[in-house]
Amino acid sequence: TISFWSGASTSMSCGYAGIKMAVFSNVRTVVCAEQQQNQGGGWAWSFNTPFRAGLANGFQVSGSMLLSFYSILAAFRIQYSQPTDWYYLTDAMTGYALGTTIVSLFARVVGGIFVKGADIGADMAGKITKKSIGEDDMRNPAAIADYVGDNIGHILGMNLDYFGSLGEAICAVLVLGSSIGVGVVSADINAAWDAMIYPLSVFCMGVIVSLVCSVITTNIRPVTTEKSIETSFKTQIFATTGLLLPVNYIVSEALLPEQFYLQ
């Protein structure tokens, strides 16, 4: 029950924070694009604003999941202190993934219905007028509903879907980690615990590496033209992958025991 409500509440709070970030970044992107057009600031202004907002949103989802998941895991370790009992610990943590999945399911379904309803309403409102106007036209009275629907369906739904998928994946590999912890040849409990939280450590290193490499797109190789968007993204992907491989090797050497077997 504790795991379930922790996963559900954390997922809902991340969705709310994502909506707030999206609304503020939408307004700031419009302002930056207008300033760019008037002052000749290039593509960097109107591109970096939503890009950084997306980074902040992704990092707050990942960080919230890591913090809440590990906090509950450490609290349950008090009850299940021995490595032979850690299978039951991971079994209890599956409620966390269930809570995130249920919230993301409802957000996807409700958000999808809202998006489609607002989209059809805006389209019909534009067609039944005397002058055919688009669904995103400022003269369309349903344009605001369409924008709200995009925020709910695409941002809130995607946020919670990512959070739910992340929780499920972490819980799945944590079961494997508990098997490694039980089978550690060494009798050191700390070594067994390090092996068990290895998946969380790898994910944490991925977040840190992504944060470090995000400056490539915004500062080192900023977007100057429409064609440079793809080049900038590909450079960041290759750099992140190249840096993540040695970092994961170091984490594996530090946390995994020299000899272990799976049960």
Side-chain angles (χ1 to χ4, degrees):
T1 303
I2 296 176
S3 298
F4 175 84
W5 285 111
S6 298
S9 60
T10 308
S11 180
M12 287 187 288
S13 63
C14 288
Y16 178 77
I19 286 290
K20 296 284 287 185
M21 291 181 184
V23 173
F24 286 121
S25 65
N26 289 341
V27 176
R28 291 179 180 179
T29 302
V30 173
V31 174
C32 289
E34 184 179 3
Q35 292 178 351
Q36 157 193 309
Q37 184 178 6
N38 296 334
Q39 303 177 15
W43 281 70
W45 293 357
S46 55
F47 176 83
N48 287 347
T49 301
F51 182 78
R52 286 169 176 164
L55 286 176
N57 187 24
F59 289 140
Q60 68 93 8
V61 171
S62 303
S64 299
M65 201 286 299
L66 275 174
L67 180 61
S68 60
F69 194 93
Y70 184 78
S71 298
I72 300 172
L73 194 66
F76 282 161
R77 188 188 178 188
I78 300 175
Q79 177 67 26
Y80 305 103
S81 58
Q82 297 300 320
T84 54
D85 298 332
W86 286 350
Y87 175 80
Y88 304 104
L89 188 152
T90 56
D91 192 28
M93 289 302 299
T94 55
Y96 188 93
L98 179 62
T100 60
T101 303
I102 290 179
V103 172
S104 64
L105 175 64
F106 278 101
R108 270 297 188 184
V109 172
V110 176
I113 294 173
F114 193 101
V115 167
K116 190 53 64 178
D119 187 45
I120 295 175
D123 196 23
M124 291 178 61
K127 284 183 169 58
I128 63 177
T129 54
K130 294 182 179 179
K131 295 182 179 180
S132 180
I133 57 178
E135 61 180 0
D136 296 330
D137 196 297
M138 60 181 298
R139 297 170 296 173
N140 193 329
I144 296 299
D146 189 32
Y147 294 149
V148 174
D150 289 338
N151 282 331
I152 293 178
H154 298 159
I155 298 174
L156 177 64
M158 188 65 68
N159 254 16
L160 299 184
D161 191 19
Y162 167 64
F163 193 96
S165 301
L166 198 58
E168 294 168 2
I170 292 296
C171 285
V173 296
L174 206 63
V175 174
L176 181 61
S178 66
S179 300
I180 294 177
V182 171
V184 172
V185 175
S186 173
D188 189 4
I189 296 181
N190 292 327
W193 178 256
D194 291 341
M196 179 176 173
I197 64 171
Y198 170 74
L200 282 175
S201 303
V202 170
F203 175 71
C204 183
M205 290 298 104
V207 173
I208 296 175
V209 170
S210 299
L211 178 61
V212 172
C213 292
S214 63
V215 299
I216 296 176
T217 305
T218 57
N219 298 96
I220 298 177
R221 295 198 65 175
V223 174
T224 55
T225 60
E226 184 177 356
K227 293 183 179 179
S228 63
I229 296 177
E230 182 179 359
T231 304
S232 181
F233 277 141
K234 285 183 177 179
T235 303
Q236 179 172 343
I237 292 174
F238 293 148
T240 304
T241 305
L243 183 59
L244 190 59
L245 288 176
V247 170
N248 281 341
Y249 176 79
I250 295 174
V251 172
S252 301
E253 285 288 333
L255 296 183
L256 291 179
E258 295 182 359
Q259 297 179 0
F260 62 88
Y261 60 91
L262 301 180
Q263 288 186 351

